[in-house]
Amino acid sequence: MKKKIFIAHIVLFFFLMSCISVWGFSKQDIPYAIKVGLRYGENAASVVNLHSNTGFEFGFYDDNYFNTLLNLADKENIVVRKDSYYVDYNGAYMEVNDISSISFSKLYGPFHVEIDEYFSSREEMEEFLVALKDYDIEFYPVYENGWRIWGGLFTSKYEAEDFINSCGQVNNKNLKVVNPNNKRIQVLDKRGNILLIYNSLERDFYFTPIVEKDSDQIINIDGKNYRGDVIFKRYLNSDITVINYLTLQEYLYGVVPKEMSGDWPLEALKAQAVAARNYAVANMGKHSNYGFDLCSGIDCQVYGGYDAEKPRSNMAVDETDGKVLTYDGKVINAFFHSNSGGHTEDSENVWSLYIPYIRGVEDEFSLDAPNSKWIQVYSPDEISDVLNSKGFNIGQVCSIYPEEYSKNGRVLSLKIKGSLSDLTLKKEETRKIFGYSKIKSMNFTVETDASFYIKSSIEKEAVRKSLNNVHILGKENFVKIVDSGNYFVSNGEKNVKINGKPSKYIFKGRGWGHGLGMSQWGAKKMAEIGYTYEEILRHYYTGTKLE
């Protein structure tokens, strides 16, 4: 008996970087299933290929019951595409979404012809359809406010009308023209024969693989395997939005090994499973404008479907089934990152919002792991190019230095002085502009190759100082920049010329990621030395409770 999924979706309102939940779920409100966007927006699909060894059923859910509208048990491979239409703009054919103001003389299909009859059941429709096999055009089932029968794929309204005039009635039934609609989807067999046309926005319609006893419910979408069902939508100004519908537990099977190596210690994977479950629940409905809850990419959590699953990570998901972290009775948004570099961060120092359970903690477990230390070097011209590409023209770069650090060691304000103007980057703006893989965290210092030797009142011998650290010395040792353009400094008695302008700016950093919540490499180390997943979560999420 095929497993049916109970629809239980609660839409959350959220704000702040599209990732911080305002309202919290209570544990009993955790949804059983989730809709995951695989293709949407600019990456929507014009054609989608589906495969199931046992064929498909097409229908919709009514509470916990699946209503089968069409049985496609004999169709292992089907193709889904748009029932599109095009407009002739002076000889150039362009796909459009709004036909309300377009002359039909300029509109190219597909137009269809409809049997002027409403069918009360699929069986009645199919019985009538059998009698239409000998006509010159192909007739096929359509589900649009009930069952209908259409025929043909005409490129113009006049072509469809000509067919009606030449054919007259079909089995004593009149025909009428069906105008194009940008919400419709065609379903075809591998030979290109139309199996079904339906209105994708009428409601959620599901393609679900027919599952044999004790077998997994797997569907292949464009060569990749996924659990659960698939939904297709056509929104304005896009191709086909592809949505995977499955249980929350099955979704986590495909998330955990994409966010953390599926071969890591089990206790670390358990901690990741709980954090991923929390993130999914707290951000449910993030992409509701596209008809799904979370996407499959880095904007949400990376989801790789059935092909990404690993036995150990699946075990971690199963052994933490239903477990979530709560704070004050609400499911938390459990942020995580790759490596803290030795100390995690307070939420307000990254995204401005104070979150009581996201507090900076010492994290020696992340030291000596990949990216616990990194260096990124830029020339002044390279920095100018980066800034110009983002719309900031400050002229020639004269100096760069952090103006303010958090108590946990991350840069809160980065000053970039230019020949035309100055630029101040706050918090994560630096990483957003320079690239998250370049400036791997905000836990960094900036040095240059321009330096000088100076002896201050509290130092016994002359020491080499980096130019970008002079402003700090100015507070402590009474040394200040006199003319940064010519690079002179003063110790209060005389000016000293610095050894030239910087030819490079050296960012020396620690860790990778925003630094909020759990460090994944830190969790791995904790698991390796004997900490349980409960202890790992307690370390990184302040004052939370595992329920």
Side-chain angles (χ1 to χ4, degrees), residues 91 246 261 294 326 331 359 448 506 511 537:
L246 70 171
S261 172
L294 298 176
T326 63
V331 177
R359 302 290 89 201
T448 77
I506 306 158
L537 294 171

Side-chain angles (χ1 to χ4, degrees), residues 50 52 139 153 186 224 247 318 332 401 447 463 495 498 537:
L50 298 183
S52 167
F139 285 94
L153 296 171
Q186 296 180 12
K224 297 181 179 180
T247 68
D318 289 339
I332 74 165
Y401 56 88
E447 298 179 4
V463 262
N495 294 342
I498 299 174
L537 294 171

Side-chain angles (χ1 to χ4, degrees), residues 11-30:
V11 177
L12 294 177
F13 296 96
F14 59 94
F15 66 98
L16 192 60
M17 305 296 286
S18 299
C19 64
I20 298 178
S21 173
V22 178
W23 312 109
F25 271 98
S26 296
K27 188 176 186 297
Q28 60 268 25
D29 295 327
I30 294 174

Side-chain angles (χ1 to χ4, degrees), residues 254-389:
V255 168
V256 173
K258 295 296 288 186
E259 293 288 355
M260 176 181 283
S261 172
D263 299 321
W264 278 13
L266 183 60
E267 293 302 304
L269 288 166
K270 287 182 181 180
Q272 182 65 60
V274 173
R277 184 180 294 111
N278 268 79
Y279 184 91
V281 171
N283 289 278
M284 193 70 67
K286 180 177 179 180
H287 290 285
S288 59
N289 57 317
Y290 281 106
F292 56 86
D293 297 308
L294 298 176
C295 71
S296 59
I298 58 175
D299 185 49
C300 297
Q301 296 185 113
V302 180
Y303 166 65
Y306 185 78
D307 293 335
E309 295 180 15
K310 294 289 185 71
R312 184 177 293 180
S313 53
N314 280 12
M315 183 186 300
V317 173
D318 289 339
E319 292 188 7
T320 61
D321 186 13
K323 295 287 187 182
V324 289
L325 286 170
T326 63
Y327 184 90
D328 196 23
K330 301 295 183 181
V331 177
I332 74 165
N333 203 338
F335 302 109
F336 50 87
H337 57 281
S338 178
N339 188 308
S340 73
H343 209 293
T344 67
E345 188 53 87
D346 298 335
S347 62
E348 64 271 24
N349 292 331
V350 178
W351 290 323
S352 298
L353 182 68
Y354 173 85
I355 303 175
Y357 51 83
I358 302 294
R359 302 290 89 201
V361 298
E362 289 189 16
D363 185 28
E364 67 275 16
F365 307 108
S366 292
L367 300 177
D368 301 321
N371 295 302
S372 59
K373 294 181 180 180
W374 53 268
I375 293 177
Q376 180 67 38
V377 180
Y378 289 100
S379 69
D381 287 344
E382 288 172 335
I383 292 175
S384 294
D385 289 343
V386 170
L387 296 179
N388 287 335
S389 70

Side-chain angles (χ1 to χ4, degrees), residues 113-147:
V113 294
E114 178 177 290
I115 304 291
D116 194 8
E117 173 79 10
Y118 174 76
F119 300 96
S120 59
S121 67
R122 181 185 75 244
E123 291 76 15
E124 183 183 355
M125 177 273 297
E126 290 176 336
E127 182 179 352
F128 195 95
L129 190 61
V130 171
L132 304 177
K133 291 184 177 180
D134 295 332
Y135 284 86
D136 292 336
I137 64 169
E138 177 187 9
F139 285 94
Y140 36 81
V142 173
Y143 194 84
E144 190 164 281
N145 297 316
W147 282 111

